[in-house]
Amino acid sequence: MRLILAEDQFLLREGLVKLLEAHGHQVVRAVTDGPALREALAAEDFDVALVDIRLPPTFTDEGLQAALEARRARPGLPVLLLSQYVEQLYATELLADGAGGVGYLLKDRVFDGEQFVTALRTVAGGGTVMDEDVVSGMVGRSDRLASLTARELETLGLVAQGRSNAAIAARMFVTEKAVAKNINSILAKLQLPPSTDDNRRVMAVLAYLGA
């Protein structure tokens, strides 16, 4: 993958560059502030942007706003946000266009390099990856979810975290076939028929999160 990285902390930025390169990926631009991120997102050819939410000069939501601006210009542009905090409003804003290709991970809960890179690949492929703490604070309580069983809700929650069917099966101690059956049932109950325009898995996650 080719990545844009936006992180103002030197040690974390350099550590991420080395981690990504060790996994065979290329950081085409590493920037430290909002204006530089905006320029990079508009100018570079890349597969996914890895963005700290709070960047100079304001240290508020510079990274998020740059990402939202870029996704308005290029719908579905893959962006994975990093943060030290659970900011449900930020996650909701990123999800709001329903285009997929988004993620939100907490910095102090990323413990495994391979899992982290897998999350980036999922986002680059148009999927959705959310930290479980972000998910737990965002779950929508709409009527659309009322028909789902507890097992189906658990399955959908793991899908929202960006887990593959194999990873969900291992977590739930069931077979991949059982997971696939659950997901098909979820899609049917949420009235998400096969479509060439929408990623049904992403749309199910958006329904689950109430976005």
Side-chain angles (χ1 to χ4, degrees):
M1 290 183 296
R2 291 167 54 85
L3 298 100
I4 287 176
L5 170 62
E7 170 57 60
D8 65 296
Q9 295 181 29
F10 171 77
L11 289 178
L12 181 53
R13 184 175 64 254
E14 293 303 305
L16 285 168
V17 170
K18 292 185 182 302
L19 170 67
L20 292 165
E21 289 178 345
H23 281 79
H25 305 299
Q26 179 186 4
V27 177
V28 296
R29 186 90 70 92
V31 300
T32 61
D33 59 52
L37 174 59
R38 282 183 166 84
E39 193 275 329
L41 290 172
E44 297 289 350
D45 177 25
F46 63 97
D47 300 304
V48 59
L50 180 58
V51 177
D52 185 3
I53 290 178
R54 300 185 180 188
L55 292 172
T58 66
F59 290 101
T60 54
D61 61 355
E62 288 280 304
L64 171 68
Q65 293 306 321
L68 292 174
E69 181 180 306
R71 281 175 64 88
R72 283 192 290 269
R74 296 168 58 186
L77 184 73
V79 176
L80 176 57
L81 297 179
L82 285 176
S83 180
Q84 292 178 312
Y85 314 98
V86 176
E87 302 276 7
Q88 279 130 21
L89 177 61
Y90 293 165
T92 300
E93 286 187 69
L94 190 64
L95 287 162
D97 62 12
V102 296
Y104 189 136
L105 296 180
L106 301 181
K107 291 180 180 180
D108 61 359
R109 287 169 55 86
V110 176
F111 305 118
D112 180 86
E114 186 60 46
Q115 183 180 10
F116 178 63
V117 171
T118 297
L120 278 167
R121 291 194 192 103
T122 298
V123 171
T128 300
V129 177
M130 294 284 155
D131 183 274
E132 60 186 285
D133 281 359
V134 177
V135 170
S136 66
M138 291 180 64
V139 176
R141 299 301 178 186
S142 68
D143 291 340
R144 295 186 71 190
L145 301 179
S147 62
L148 301 187
T149 67
R151 200 67 163 166
E152 289 168 345
L153 283 170
E154 182 182 3
T155 300
L156 190 49
L158 293 170
V159 170
Q161 293 172 35
R163 297 177 186 268
S164 65
N165 284 13
I168 294 171
R171 179 71 174 265
M172 297 178 67
F173 303 103
V174 297
T175 65
E176 287 187 55
K177 184 176 181 180
V179 172
K181 183 178 179 180
N182 270 348
I183 291 175
N184 286 335
S185 177
I186 290 165
L187 296 175
K189 289 180 178 180
L190 294 180
Q191 299 181 345
L192 295 171
S195 168
T196 58
D197 298 323
D198 298 318
N199 183 323
R200 293 194 298 161
R201 201 171 173 113
V202 171
M203 298 304 292
V205 167
L206 294 176
Y208 178 75
L209 297 176

